[in-house]
Amino acid sequence: MKTFALAGNPNSGKTTLFNALTGSTAHVGNWPGVTVDKREGVYKSGGARANIVDLPGIYSLSPYTPEEVIARNFILEGRPDGIINIVDATNLERNLYLTTQLLEMDVPVIIALNMMDEVEASGDGLDAAELERRVGVPVVAVSALKKRNVARLMERALAMPAERKGRSVLDTGRLQSAVDYYEKQGKSSPLFRAVKLAEGDEEELKDGGAAAIRADICAKYGDPEAEIADARYKYISSRLSSVKTRAARPAATRADRADRVLTHKIWGIPIFIVILFAVFHLTFSEDLFFIGAIASAAGSPLPSFADMGFAKLGESDIYANFGIALASCFYDGAVFSPGVTLTNLLNLVLGYASYGISVGTEAAGAAPWAAGLINDGIVGGITAVLGFLPQILTLFLCFSVLEDTGYMARVAFILDRIFRRFGLSGRAFMPMIMGFGCSLPAMINTRTLADEKERTATIRVIPFFSCGAKLPILTAIAGGICATAGFANVDLITYSMYLLGMITAVVAVIVMRSTTMRGEVPPFIMELPAYRLPGARNLMLHLWDKTEHFVKKAFTVIFASTVLVWFLQSFGWNWRYLGAENMQQSILASLGQLVQPLFTPLGFGSQLNEYGWVFAVAAITGLIAKENVIATFSVLAAMFVAGFEGTEDGVAEAVVMIENTGITWPALIAFIMFNMTTVPCFAACATAKAELPKGRFAWTVLFWIVTSFIVGSVCYTVLSWWWTIFLWLAAAAAASAVIILKNRGVIKFPSLRKKRVE
Amino acid sequence: MKKLCDFSVGESGRVTAVCGTGAVRRRLLDMGVTPGAEVTLVKRAPLGDPLEVTLRGYSLSLRKSEADCVQTEAGV
């Protein structure tokens, strides 16, 4: 079976064409060593079959971005039988720039001229047959979105001869010595390599012999780098792009008018905030369009199903009446947003399943430990993780729509100025803000960042943007503080915590960008793609990819770790199964007691009484899912108060903990901040490991632990003894002085640098 | 002679030279900012930077500091 590589500019419809060619056969793999998707699929039509490999979207084959290096290495070393070069007909000149480079390789090339329908609709003309004559390789006009002419494209691709000699649009006479050198070495595509060498390409300069030849050429003719790019574009505009005829344009298209509003000098930023709010509202709101709040304000609050007298089933949130249970997924005193509704529907199914399983295990007379393993360990773990899925997907769908319409690029454009101050580009904003919803899609979204160091720094601070699962910790403990310490305003505490998380993120980014992740602010020379309506099919395939990825993880890494923690909290050192009430004798509790002294600077360590370990344990169980922190409180409360019933908001649990451990309110604030900035849940860790460059994950975990200890200690000491703020400020000033002096080269740490792996 | 970063909104010009070094220069060249290309400054971002320009029939955004590398002459 022949293999074709699909190459083209970003935004040229490459993914759409790939989906049109391969249908549902596509699967995602990782490129070795780097985390850029390598998508592969099979084209099937009648008897014809072909392997299609989707290369990353690139503008050129110079080795300045990982995508470009990957694409060229695949073509040069992976030896595909041909390249399908997708060219956006609405943007011919810049797209053909890549084509002129591909043509220099010794590989058959076919051009898929995409978006011809848009060209025709705008009244322009493009003579595909004439273009084919001029470039000397087959050209087929297609519409990837409408799947027009896709079969014709593949027919001609499969009919291409197996061999093709690379040709250049440049005058390559001066480079003959380099071409001869590569031919003698037996390298593939000598002409392509010779041109790249002349451009000062780092990949080619690694070869000492080639570097010497380049020095020779430069000495004779001067540095050819600019000349080459210039000559390509000159050739394109004089010989190739003239096949396109332009009709008169209307003064302003609809997209122009939309753009004028969306990036408006004054309204641009407010509009963006509203759009962002709408996305989160659709994903997380339990009161869609504030209907419930408005009704309450009008004096006639909407009733919930409990108010109407429907009873709940067992201990769960399922109603005894299935119809009501189903209805309560959409409405319960207020209309739910799509994200919440989907979560409820999934939880309804999972709830019935786990309820059934718990009834079943009881009926079967299973041993208590077996029932505990099945119900609390396995079922509890899986439902906790799968429960995130609907909201993650809703959030992802919204952001995919914003991405595909071209608005996301404008957001980066609007915000670049602010982010540059922190050493990041405007593109880093989206993943960070997504972190407020869930760290998982946020970390995946960092793929839009080209610079590896910027990407690492961004992934590391994403957990500091407190995700939806951390909100229960905030509300429960803030509620507990208000109930015991006599503060009036819960919201104020919650908002301050969010703010503190963001400040931590900004400080951490600035510190990283001036120490281990040091580097120039990456350039912001970026295409602003034309506004387009997103294709539903593409969105769905995109979502399916994410779902598959996530579910696979839920049932492997996350599942195993959940069962492990369940085991540790349910068994004592004598291997005897303990009920939830006897958790103080468990292995987990003794581990908690062991690490408890470490938390002394944070206020929940040795200064607490014999039950002080509950906070350490709650933090550990939070690794599975942050909701577990309060769930653990609920379990542990039964230890202090016999027959304790859990509450929905967790405030009562927090109050029990505060009264029985002797913890102070500054320590509680420190506990919240510690949980917010420490190692995120296992699901987020697994994603971070997959997305970070090799060898960075261990450092990242260390970074999270150190940061959370510092933030927690600062909160506890400053809130307990206000004057300690001066000590921290002095320490911060000293640290910045050391960093600045080191970066200026005034002081050096030779021994430290050697030990550093990074 | 005028630098692209000194354009006022709506102004056009023809690129004469791209200075600077390394990745920034290479990227500008790859994106079609080469001598002879016609560029128009479409707008500035709400906070004054980066800039949006059109050239070769598409929109490109770049920072002022990057536009500083682009020399132009009055357009046709």
Side-chain angles (χ1 to χ4, degrees), chain A residues 18-19 22-28 39-42 541 544-545 548:
Chain A
F18 178 74
N19 289 339
T22 59
S24 57
T25 64
H27 60 270
V28 178
R39 287 154 54 84
E40 280 187 41
V42 181
L541 281 170
W544 175 243
D545 268 1
E548 212 187 349

Side-chain angles (χ1 to χ4, degrees), chain A residues 93 97 259 263 416 420 526, chain B residues 30 43 49 56 61 63:
Chain A
E93 271 188 33
Y97 179 71
D259 185 62
T263 57
D416 181 66
R420 204 170 347 144
M526 187 183 82
Chain B
D30 281 346
K43 65 163 129 20
D49 192 15
R56 301 188 186 277
S61 106
R63 296 198 183 114

Side-chain angles (χ1 to χ4, degrees), chain A residues 438-520:
Chain A
C438 178
S439 297
L440 276 78
M443 285 173 176
I444 297 168
N445 195 261
T446 57
R447 286 182 192 170
T448 54
L449 304 174
D451 184 80
E452 199 178 85
K453 286 181 170 173
E454 182 189 23
R455 199 166 166 223
T456 305
T458 308
I459 288 178
R460 285 179 179 174
V461 300
I462 280 173
F464 302 167
F465 294 84
S466 187
C467 73
K470 287 176 187 166
L471 185 62
I473 309 179
L474 275 175
T475 48
I477 296 182
I481 293 174
C482 291
T484 53
F487 292 121
N489 206 331
V490 186
D491 286 355
L492 191 66
I493 299 179
T494 318
Y495 284 130
S496 324
M497 297 289 96
Y498 268 105
L499 201 64
L500 205 52
M502 288 194 275
I503 293 171
T504 310
V506 169
V507 172
V509 164
I510 293 173
V511 170
M512 272 191 278
R513 292 295 277 170
S514 47
T515 55
T516 55
M517 292 292 127
R518 209 166 159 217
E520 291 289 302

Side-chain angles (χ1 to χ4, degrees), chain A residues 12-73:
Chain A
S12 59
K14 204 164 59 64
T15 312
T16 316
L17 181 61
F18 178 74
N19 289 339
L21 285 172
T22 59
S24 57
T25 64
H27 60 270
V28 178
N30 257 340
W31 293 91
V34 267
T35 50
V36 178
D37 280 345
K38 181 184 85 165
R39 287 154 54 84
E40 280 187 41
V42 181
Y43 169 77
K44 282 183 228 167
S45 170
R49 277 199 173 21
N51 241 336
I52 313 282
V53 176
D54 191 17
L55 298 179
I58 47 174
Y59 294 108
S60 167
L61 287 166
S62 50
Y64 280 107
T65 66
E67 286 85 359
E68 291 176 356
V69 175
I70 288 162
R72 68 183 268 164
N73 286 352

Side-chain angles (χ1 to χ4, degrees), chain A residues 523-534:
Chain A
F524 196 70
I525 304 164
M526 187 183 82
E527 181 186 4
L528 293 171
Y531 287 95
R532 285 205 173 89
L533 285 175

